[in-house]
Tab-separated table of all heavy atoms in Angstrom:
chain	number	residue	atom	x	y	z
H	388	VAL	N	155.584	95.398	152.486
H	388	VAL	CA	156.366	94.858	151.372
H	388	VAL	C	157.795	94.705	151.890
H	388	VAL	O	158.350	95.638	152.483
H	388	VAL	CB	156.361	95.790	150.143
H	388	VAL	CG1	157.220	95.210	149.023
H	388	VAL	CG2	154.935	96.014	149.648
H	389	VAL	N	158.366	93.519	151.687
H	389	VAL	CA	159.700	93.229	152.216
H	389	VAL	C	160.653	92.911	151.061
H	389	VAL	O	160.304	92.133	150.175
H	389	VAL	CB	159.663	92.015	153.183
H	389	VAL	CG1	161.045	91.755	153.766
H	389	VAL	CG2	158.627	92.228	154.277
H	390	ALA	N	161.830	93.513	151.072
H	390	ALA	CA	162.822	93.214	150.034
H	390	ALA	C	164.227	93.374	150.599
H	390	ALA	O	164.454	94.177	151.512
H	390	ALA	CB	162.642	94.142	148.833
H	391	CYS	N	165.177	92.621	150.065
H	391	CYS	CA	166.576	92.790	150.459
H	391	CYS	C	167.156	94.005	149.738
H	391	CYS	O	166.672	94.400	148.681
H	391	CYS	CB	167.390	91.537	150.140
H	391	CYS	SG	167.526	91.156	148.384
H	392	VAL	N	168.186	94.602	150.350
H	392	VAL	CA	168.805	95.807	149.778
H	392	VAL	C	170.325	95.714	149.800
H	392	VAL	O	170.932	95.539	150.866
H	392	VAL	CB	168.406	97.075	150.573
H	392	VAL	CG1	169.109	98.300	150.006
H	392	VAL	CG2	166.911	97.297	150.524
H	393	GLY	N	170.921	95.820	148.605
H	393	GLY	CA	172.364	96.048	148.515
H	393	GLY	C	172.484	97.483	148.038
H	393	GLY	O	172.464	98.433	148.790
H	394	GLY	N	172.524	97.656	146.696
H	394	GLY	CA	172.320	98.983	146.111
H	394	GLY	C	170.842	99.335	146.181
H	394	GLY	O	170.457	100.472	146.399
H	395	GLY	N	170.003	98.292	145.981
H	395	GLY	CA	168.572	98.451	146.227
H	395	GLY	C	167.661	98.389	145.019
H	395	GLY	O	166.570	98.948	145.058
H	396	SER	N	168.042	97.662	143.941
H	396	SER	CA	167.185	97.709	142.749
H	396	SER	C	165.901	96.904	142.902
H	396	SER	O	164.840	97.365	142.499
H	396	SER	CB	167.946	97.278	141.498
H	396	SER	OG	168.316	95.924	141.538
H	397	ASN	N	165.964	95.711	143.498
H	397	ASN	CA	164.704	94.958	143.604
H	397	ASN	C	163.787	95.607	144.628
H	397	ASN	O	162.567	95.648	144.458
H	397	ASN	CB	164.958	93.464	143.846
H	397	ASN	CG	164.955	93.042	145.311
H	397	ASN	OD1	163.901	92.831	145.899
H	397	ASN	ND2	166.141	92.929	145.917
H	398	ALA	N	164.387	96.184	145.679
H	398	ALA	CA	163.572	96.883	146.677
H	398	ALA	C	162.917	98.118	146.060
H	398	ALA	O	161.734	98.386	146.280
H	398	ALA	CB	164.425	97.276	147.880
H	399	ALA	N	163.667	98.860	145.248
H	399	ALA	CA	163.091	100.047	144.608
H	399	ALA	C	161.913	99.647	143.724
H	399	ALA	O	160.874	100.306	143.723
H	399	ALA	CB	164.154	100.783	143.791
H	400	GLY	N	162.080	98.546	142.981
H	400	GLY	CA	160.999	98.076	142.116
H	400	GLY	C	159.805	97.585	142.906
H	400	GLY	O	158.655	97.838	142.540
H	401	ALA	N	160.066	96.882	144.007
H	401	ALA	CA	158.985	96.329	144.829
H	401	ALA	C	158.258	97.424	145.618
H	401	ALA	O	157.070	97.318	145.904
H	401	ALA	CB	159.551	95.271	145.785
H	402	PHE	N	158.976	98.479	145.979
H	402	PHE	CA	158.376	99.568	146.773
H	402	PHE	C	157.668	100.603	145.899
H	402	PHE	O	156.768	101.294	146.355
H	402	PHE	CB	159.455	100.323	147.574
H	402	PHE	CG	160.150	99.523	148.650
H	402	PHE	CD1	161.304	100.034	149.280
H	402	PHE	CD2	159.679	98.290	149.067
H	402	PHE	CE1	161.958	99.321	150.273
H	402	PHE	CE2	160.332	97.562	150.063
H	402	PHE	CZ	161.477	98.084	150.668
H	403	TYR	N	158.126	100.726	144.650
H	403	TYR	CA	157.845	101.922	143.840
H	403	TYR	C	156.384	102.377	143.864
H	403	TYR	O	156.087	103.515	144.200
H	403	TYR	CB	158.295	101.692	142.395
H	403	TYR	CG	158.392	102.965	141.583
H	403	TYR	CD1	159.538	103.746	141.629
H	403	TYR	CD2	157.331	103.400	140.786
H	403	TYR	CE1	159.642	104.922	140.905
H	403	TYR	CE2	157.429	104.583	140.057
H	403	TYR	CZ	158.583	105.336	140.117
H	403	TYR	OH	158.679	106.506	139.405
H	404	HIS	N	155.474	101.487	143.521
H	404	HIS	CA	154.061	101.900	143.437
H	404	HIS	C	153.364	101.901	144.793
H	404	HIS	O	152.149	102.103	144.872
H	404	HIS	CB	153.325	101.037	142.412
H	404	HIS	CG	153.745	101.334	141.005
H	404	HIS	ND1	153.381	102.478	140.338
H	404	HIS	CD2	154.563	100.657	140.157
H	404	HIS	CE1	153.930	102.500	139.130
H	404	HIS	NE2	154.657	101.400	138.995
H	405	PHE	N	154.134	101.675	145.843
H	405	PHE	CA	153.603	101.813	147.207
H	405	PHE	C	154.247	102.979	147.955
H	405	PHE	O	153.891	103.266	149.095
H	405	PHE	CB	153.825	100.520	148.003
H	405	PHE	CG	153.200	99.310	147.367
H	405	PHE	CD1	153.991	98.310	146.812
H	405	PHE	CD2	151.822	99.165	147.314
H	405	PHE	CE1	153.427	97.191	146.219
H	405	PHE	CE2	151.235	98.044	146.716
H	405	PHE	CZ	152.043	97.047	146.164
H	406	LEU	N	155.227	103.633	147.316
H	406	LEU	CA	155.982	104.681	148.020
H	406	LEU	C	155.060	105.766	148.564
H	406	LEU	O	155.264	106.273	149.666
H	406	LEU	CB	157.013	105.320	147.073
H	406	LEU	CG	158.259	104.485	146.755
H	406	LEU	CD1	159.033	105.117	145.606
H	406	LEU	CD2	159.157	104.357	147.990
H	407	ASN	N	154.044	106.107	147.781
H	407	ASN	CA	153.145	107.188	148.196
H	407	ASN	C	151.851	106.650	148.809
H	407	ASN	O	150.833	107.336	148.820
H	407	ASN	CB	152.853	108.103	147.004
H	407	ASN	CG	154.126	108.782	146.499
H	407	ASN	OD1	155.027	109.084	147.277
H	407	ASN	ND2	154.217	109.003	145.193
Side-chain angles (χ1 to χ4, degrees):
Chain H
V388 178
V389 182
C391 65
V392 177
S396 66
N397 94 82
F402 294 169
Y403 195 84
H404 290 287
F405 302 111
L406 285 169
N407 297 327

